[in-house]
Amino acid sequence: MPTVTRFILSWGPALVWAGFLFFLSSQTWDQGPAGIQINDKVIHLALYLILGATLAWAARRYRDLSAHTAVLFLGGLYALSDEWHQS
């Protein structure tokens, strides 16, 4: 498989999900859908769990220890930048 295709198939889901999280962070949220009150910490956990899963998917496809280190670093860096973006 060509390197570019492998990169897109591996890291693409994480990049798309990170973009979706960025979009969600740009929105103003007063309450959940149909007025349902949901603890925002639970929502953050669920959304970042998905980001972690997509990053783990990418690292697993690369099967390289440095990829696993990059996943931890990128996930933490993205979370920090998202908190800054929300402020």
Side-chain angles (χ1 to χ4, degrees):
M1 179 182 317
T3 305
V4 174
T5 304
R6 181 176 178 222
F7 179 84
I8 291 171
L9 290 175
S10 298
W11 293 99
L15 294 172
V16 169
W17 190 255
F20 180 66
L21 288 177
F22 186 83
F23 167 75
L24 289 178
S25 296
S26 301
Q27 307 302 309
T28 303
W29 302 94
D30 293 331
Q31 56 190 358
I36 298 170
Q37 294 295 325
I38 301 173
N39 185 337
D40 70 329
K41 303 298 182 209
V42 173
I43 293 171
H44 275 95
L45 176 65
L47 293 174
Y48 277 94
L49 185 64
I50 294 169
L51 179 62
T54 59
L55 288 170
W57 161 264
R60 183 173 181 198
R61 291 190 49 111
Y62 267 77
R63 295 185 182 142
D64 182 2
L65 183 58
S66 63
H68 288 78
T69 304
V71 162
L72 292 173
F73 179 74
L74 290 173
L77 184 63
Y78 186 84
L80 287 173
S81 70
D82 189 47
E83 289 301 319
W84 177 76
H85 173 245
Q86 290 178 29
S87 65

